Amino acid sequence: MKTALLLSSIAAVSAFAPSTTHTCRTPSVSATKADLEAIAEKANPLVKFYDPLNLAEQDFYGFGNEATIGWLRHSEIKHGRIAMFAFVGYIVQSNFVFPWPQTLAGAAHPSADLLPEEQWDAVPLGAKWQIFAVISMLELWDECGGGGALPHYTKGRKPGQFPTFQLFRENVHFVLDLYDPLGFNKNMSDETKERRLISELNNGRLAQLGIFGFLCADKIPGSVPLLNDIASPYSGDPMIPFEGQFSLPSAFPPRSELAQGTMWESIVCNLVSPSLSVNVRIGSVPVFAVLPYPDAVYRCSSTRSCSMNCQH
């Protein structure tokens, strides 16, 4: 059945990319609530404009209403694209895995017999950090408008438009753009662009429901009746990507190693707060730390002088 779902979802793949890509800073495009209502009418004539939280009338961080709408539209399109990748990826991973080794040591990719969530859990920690590093770089490139090639999406950029890598190509090394890397769509008409944008919105919204449907069906048996026949119980937590591999408290030694009389001196502030901001001075060097211990233990080498000012 998952293979059949894959075939039915291929049509959504064409909607992954932004509707257009430019390298100039202009024109500036602003959006209002009236624009959202017009888009909603085209996207779903039955539901039309639906905003129970009145987000379209908000002013986030004092940026203004138009900037807030630009932020919301860009965020929805971005999340929709990621959800489409995730939805299709979930189905593909349930049936196929890459035949080549996953690591330089020759380890194979996690078996297709595992749930996609279990496959992710089986990915080495270093590989996960590589994935998050690439995502972070793409986010930074988006936020800076491709090195200034585009305005910020709260200041006039077309919602969903990802910057070209032209500046990166010219100064670092060659890399293809994410959208239309071979330039096949550069002569696309405005009518076609608008139609594809509406399709992308609808596909993205449906994909967000779809991928969370898969996750809920595996995590909470019976929560999605339509998926009962293909769902398998998952004991982990899909919302903790580094579960069992990394967490902030794990970066600190156990309490037993912080006892006085060992190689570490302990400074204890008996406070109730689960985390504590502490201004620490080791010698003449000020250090700032956020401690994960309920009693706010900070450790320092017994060979150095330490002082601490505990603050709520």
Side-chain angles (χ1 to χ4, degrees), residues 82-219:
I82 296 303
M84 286 187 280
F85 276 115
F87 181 79
V88 175
Y90 186 101
I91 299 172
V92 172
Q93 287 180 227
S94 297
N95 295 274
F96 311 100
V97 295
F98 292 122
W100 50 81
Q102 182 186 39
T103 67
L104 294 177
H109 286 268
S111 171
D113 294 332
L114 300 175
L115 288 171
E117 299 96 325
E118 294 171 335
Q119 292 174 335
W120 171 258
D121 292 340
V123 171
L125 179 61
K128 291 181 178 180
W129 279 120
Q130 291 178 45
I131 294 172
F132 276 89
V134 172
I135 293 174
S136 299
M137 289 187 289
L138 292 176
E139 285 291 312
L140 288 173
W141 194 252
D142 185 25
E143 289 295 321
C144 73
L150 293 174
H152 195 264
Y153 48 82
T154 62
K155 299 180 180 179
R157 189 199 311 176
K158 291 183 179 181
Q161 183 180 10
F162 193 86
T164 176
F165 290 122
Q166 180 178 349
L167 184 64
F168 190 86
R169 282 194 296 268
E170 293 175 348
N171 295 275
V172 184
H173 67 79
F174 179 80
V175 61
L176 293 173
D177 290 332
L178 292 184
Y179 172 68
D180 193 23
L182 301 180
F184 291 151
N185 298 327
K186 61 182 179 181
N187 296 322
M188 185 186 301
S189 66
D190 292 338
E191 293 77 10
T192 301
K193 292 177 183 178
E194 182 179 7
R195 185 177 67 254
R196 292 183 62 176
L197 175 61
I198 298 301
S199 297
E200 181 181 33
L201 284 172
N202 286 332
N203 290 333
R205 291 167 179 172
L206 184 60
Q208 291 177 72
L209 295 174
I211 186 59
F212 270 94
F214 281 147
L215 296 178
C216 289
D218 291 339
K219 183 61 180 177

Side-chain angles (χ1 to χ4, degrees), residues 209 212-218 220-229 231:
L209 295 174
F212 270 94
F214 281 147
L215 296 178
C216 289
D218 291 339
I220 311 172
S223 60
V224 186
L226 291 177
L227 300 179
N228 284 344
D229 293 336

Side-chain angles (χ1 to χ4, degrees), residues 3 22 24-25 48 66 70 73 115 117 121-123 139 172 183 187 193 214 220 234 256 273 280 305 311:
T3 303
H22 299 289
C24 59
R25 297 174 182 268
K48 298 181 180 179
E66 290 188 356
R73 290 194 62 196
L115 288 171
E117 299 96 325
D121 292 340
V123 171
E139 285 291 312
V172 184
N187 296 322
K193 292 177 183 178
F214 281 147
I220 311 172
Y234 174 61
S256 60
S273 59
V280 182
S305 60
Q311 299 177 345

